[in-house]
Amino acid sequence: MAKINDNYLKLKAGYLFPEIGRRVREFSAANPDAKVIRLGIGDVTRPLAPAIIKAFHDAVDDLATIDNFAGYGPEQGYDWLINAIIEKSYKPLGVDLKTEEMFISDGSKCDCANILDIFALDNVVAIGDPVYPVYNDTNVMIGRTGDADEKGYYKGIVYMPCTEENGFIPSLPTEKVDIIYLCFPNNPTGTVATKAELKKWVDYANSNDAVIFFDAAYEAFITDPAIPHSIYEIEGAKKCAIEFRSFSKTAGFTGVRCGLVVVPEEVMGTTPTGEKYSFNKLWLRRTTTKFNGASYPVQKAAAAVYSDEGWKQNKEIIDYYMENARIIREGLAAAGLTVYGGVNAPYIWLKTPGGMSSWDFFDKLLTECNVVGTPGSGFGPSGEGFFRLSAFGHRENVIEAVERIKKNLK
């Protein structure tokens, strides 16, 4: 009889966003006339930029001609896309990368999970709390943890609380860890880290032979020129950090699917016999074995993001979302709520009023305001008592949602 991977049975409730979807569907079925405004899941709403659409169409047309037809491409991505990203997005930051150090994928969610394939199970992992659930759940699925305790913490993972008291920036672990997940601008709190703060993590990693998984999915939303967009802006980071980026929010590719991961050749792991071995070589082997590459039209569309026209058009879309964030942040603060984020990130992290639980506040907003957000406790125990709203909405809906909440809280 075939046996299951019983690590999946350790997982507590269903994945956060399907649970939100279930509650919203039940409410909508019972209240068919309610106009529900969704500011929960971080899905984009603006159309792709015109330059991206044109490149997409042109690439599809290529597939209809003998001269331009493209079949299997390189599993790690086409050089013309990788080099465009390096030139336009990394070199202006003072970061030099080799073409061989960047890998194009079908999304950073997959990368954050798949990267675990090349790391031994006995590595000690440190994760922020609250955190993007994929980091935690994929470590459970792969078999790195024991069961969860009554709080929801899994044995075998080091949790780093991110609270009001520490400004939602985790403290360095007191024990030695091998893998550290960092996400800045942060999902869900909207917090950013300064160069000085990131330098502490890089120094810790290099001193302890640890590797940082740096999720920079929201770097395009940074508005403060002093805030780093990449971990590689920090001296020493290319020896200890793997960086993930996504086109989903940066260019509206949530339904198109494209991402990238940077694995510098200098990032080393240790073999069972104590020898150093490059994680870049392992990731290349994993990629070429388990992945056939993002599609040709998608990569052509992604390359258009880095054209002069596409860059300008896409910046206007990002500005649109950040104006939404300002409207939410200032509107809710004016209503008396304690609000964080929404300045260098498209997420607003608010404190639930009156000590209300995260899920109770979710139900209150849904039933009384017909507005959907994300309960902070769904991101981890330290998220209890907080709530996330997304700026990825239509402007008129964002304005209406804020007015509904303000009216309800009077």
Side-chain angles (χ1 to χ4, degrees), residues 102 155 211:
M102 185 176 293
K155 183 179 180 181
V211 173

Side-chain angles (χ1 to χ4, degrees), residues 327-396:
I327 292 169
I328 297 170
R329 185 185 74 251
E330 293 182 1
L332 298 185
L337 292 173
T338 301
V339 182
Y340 300 95
V343 177
N344 293 288
Y347 294 123
I348 291 81
W349 187 243
L350 62 94
K351 196 169 185 177
T352 58
M356 189 178 297
S357 77
S358 297
W359 278 107
D360 284 347
F361 190 64
F362 173 90
D363 290 334
K364 176 181 174 65
L365 286 192
L366 177 60
T367 59
E368 298 178 15
C369 304
N370 303 158
V371 173
V372 179
T374 309
S377 60
F379 297 100
S382 292
E384 180 55 79
F386 288 87
F387 201 78
R388 193 193 76 176
L389 290 175
S390 164
F392 296 113
H394 298 293
R395 178 67 47 77
E396 60 273 18

